Amino acid sequence: MATSLRRPSFTACSSSPTDTDDEGVRGTCEDASICKRFAVSVGYWQDPYIQHLVRLSKERKAPEINRGYFARVHGVSQLIKAFLRKTECNCQVLNLGAGMDTTFWRLKDEDLLPSKYFEIDFPMIVTRKLHSIKLKPLLSKPILDLHSEDTLQMDGHVLDSTRYAIIGADLRDIPELEEKLKKCNMNTQLPTLLIAECVLVYMTPEQSTNLLKWAAKSFETAMFINYEQVNMDDRFGQIMIENLRRRQCDLAGVETCKSLESQKERLLSSGWESASAIDMMELYSKLPRAEVSRIESLEFLDEMELLEQLMQHYCLCWATKGGSELGLKEITY
């Protein structure tokens, strides 16, 4: 429905049959959000928006977890900004499984907003985020300020404005996903950046391949950023899998997370022209030394070995298609 810009209203939504099945996966969104919120509260990076979306945990998070999230946020952010600069922001961003992510608001602060920024996640997560946006002027005002029409399209699972859209959809259902994105004016002619952070691993290999192939086929010029597990065949990887299973969360796509090579290969075999991958320990070693000194002074880390083990089991991958005139293949970390 169309609602007044100044007084947006949200309708309640009912749960879908798959809500219960996906509860464990939705729980990982909550975990990641709380970890980011805690790391921000300690001073690892600045994010004035996350406090309006995520509660602060009473329980301290381990220093190796905080450093891991710092490396993740820094690495993904660097690649996003590289794409935005190459395209001079004449592009669109699709954040797949966005959860409580605040990238849209932080990019606006840096004057690096794309033509349009889309977030997609489970309807239940989207409803919760929309509720926070409605209640918090710090979140709603940038969306309203950038909106060029008198009305704002909004209901329990969707908000569509001129520069920002958030959509409740199942990434495993490509026809539904595409239909909802087109209703929110996704433009397949624009250079497009797709971001997935710990998303594909919760799909079966067939489901994630379908999503990757759809993305490669739909956009002439595109880049895909994927952050998720790697080296999962060893003992440490098996322990990670067992811990998640105990919480009713199955890594359905873990077989594609065997190595950096397997990560790159699935992108290339899905229609992407170039693919790169780096494990997070290597990325951590490439961080600006001044930043590393700053974050390492925030908390004492007992065992560097545990940090190394953890970081060697996550990776950042990126793939490109087209965009040779923009220099997309030159983007690296």
Side-chain angles (χ1 to χ4, degrees):
M1 65 178 176
T3 61
S4 161
L5 254 184
R6 297 302 152 200
R7 298 186 61 193
S9 64
F10 293 70
T11 58
C13 63
S14 57
S15 296
S16 68
T18 57
D19 277 347
T20 309
D21 302 340
D22 296 322
E23 199 170 332
V25 179
R26 287 203 311 274
T28 64
C29 163
E30 179 81 358
D31 291 346
S33 301
I34 288 170
C35 286
K36 285 182 179 180
R37 171 84 164 91
F38 184 82
V40 167
S41 75
V42 176
Y44 278 85
W45 69 93
Q46 295 209 326
D47 184 344
Y49 303 101
I50 196 166
Q51 63 184 314
H52 297 293
L53 290 164
V54 185
R55 64 185 169 86
L56 182 59
S57 172
K58 292 174 185 174
E59 177 192 333
R60 283 194 73 82
K61 302 298 175 187
E64 61 270 15
I65 300 292
N66 295 329
R67 290 190 195 181
Y69 273 96
F70 174 82
R72 168 180 173 173
V73 169
H74 190 281
V76 172
S77 178
Q78 289 299 105
L79 291 178
I80 291 172
K81 289 176 186 177
F83 181 87
L84 290 169
R85 289 184 177 118
K86 291 282 189 188
T87 59
E88 297 180 344
C89 293
N90 182 30
C91 62
Q92 61 192 357
V93 174
L94 273 59
N95 193 331
L96 310 173
M100 298 298 128
D101 189 76
T102 60
T103 301
F104 166 79
W105 291 272
R106 289 183 287 121
L107 288 175
K108 182 181 184 294
D109 286 347
E110 295 184 56
D111 202 21
L112 274 175
L113 268 189
S115 300
K116 189 153 184 176
Y117 192 99
F118 298 82
E119 293 185 346
I120 304 98
D121 214 318
F122 286 119
M124 191 176 283
I125 289 173
V126 165
T127 300
R128 185 181 140 202
K129 193 168 189 176
L130 279 172
H131 183 68
S132 296
I133 291 171
K134 172 192 173 185
L135 291 178
K136 308 289 184 180
L138 194 71
L139 300 175
S140 59
K141 191 174 183 299
I143 296 168
L144 297 170
D145 287 349
L146 292 163
H147 193 59
S148 57
E149 296 174 22
D150 292 338
T151 57
L152 192 62
Q153 293 302 316
M154 194 184 318
D155 66 27
H157 293 157
V158 180
L159 180 153
D160 184 30
S161 70
T162 307
R163 303 289 293 277
Y164 173 80
I166 181 169
I167 299 164
D170 190 331
L171 297 171
R172 297 164 297 194
D173 185 342
I174 302 294
E176 179 206 33
L177 172 67
E178 187 168 44
E179 182 190 349
K180 288 183 174 181
L181 282 165
K182 284 182 176 173
K183 274 186 184 172
C184 292
N185 299 307
M186 176 184 75
N187 181 353
T188 55
Q189 302 306 305
L190 270 182
T192 301
L193 173 63
L194 302 102
I195 307 160
E197 296 185 53
C198 289
V199 170
L200 303 184
V201 72
Y202 295 111
M203 303 178 177
T204 65
E206 183 185 6
Q207 289 165 343
S208 62
T209 296
N210 286 343
L211 182 63
L212 289 168
K213 283 182 175 175
W214 167 79
K217 185 180 169 186
S218 296
F219 309 103
E220 264 180 52
T221 301
M223 178 171 170
F224 199 106
I225 298 172
N226 181 36
Y227 170 88
E228 68 181 358
Q229 291 86 343
V230 74
N231 298 324
M232 294 298 279
D233 272 355
D234 66 15
R235 182 64 193 135
F236 192 87
Q238 292 307 304
I239 291 168
M240 287 169 68
I241 292 167
E242 287 160 19
N243 286 342
L244 280 163
R245 276 196 186 133
R246 273 192 218 106
R247 296 168 51 206
Q248 281 73 54
C249 187
D250 190 35
L251 296 181
V254 76
E255 69 181 66
T256 56
C257 303
K258 286 179 182 174
S259 66
L260 293 176
E261 285 307 311
S262 69
Q263 287 282 12
K264 289 189 285 187
E265 177 51 36
R266 84 152 148 191
L267 289 161
L268 293 170
S269 63
S270 297
W272 295 86
E273 293 166 3
S274 71
S276 305
I278 182 173
D279 76 49
M280 296 309 288
M281 197 61 224
E282 187 182 346
L283 187 145
Y284 191 79
S285 72
K286 292 172 180 263
L287 291 172
R289 288 298 93 195
E291 272 294 84
V292 172
S293 297
R294 183 186 67 79
I295 66 161
E296 290 185 349
S297 70
L298 293 172
E299 296 178 291
F300 176 69
L301 179 64
D302 237 351
E303 295 182 48
M304 189 64 184
E305 188 183 346
L306 184 54
L307 176 69
E308 288 173 359
Q309 278 189 311
L310 196 60
M311 300 277 243
Q312 284 162 1
H313 286 82
Y314 284 91
C315 66
L316 188 59
C317 316
W318 60 100
T320 64
K321 181 199 168 213
S324 56
E325 71 288 354
L326 298 171
L328 292 190
K329 284 184 183 174
E330 296 160 17
I331 294 175
T332 188
Y333 191 87

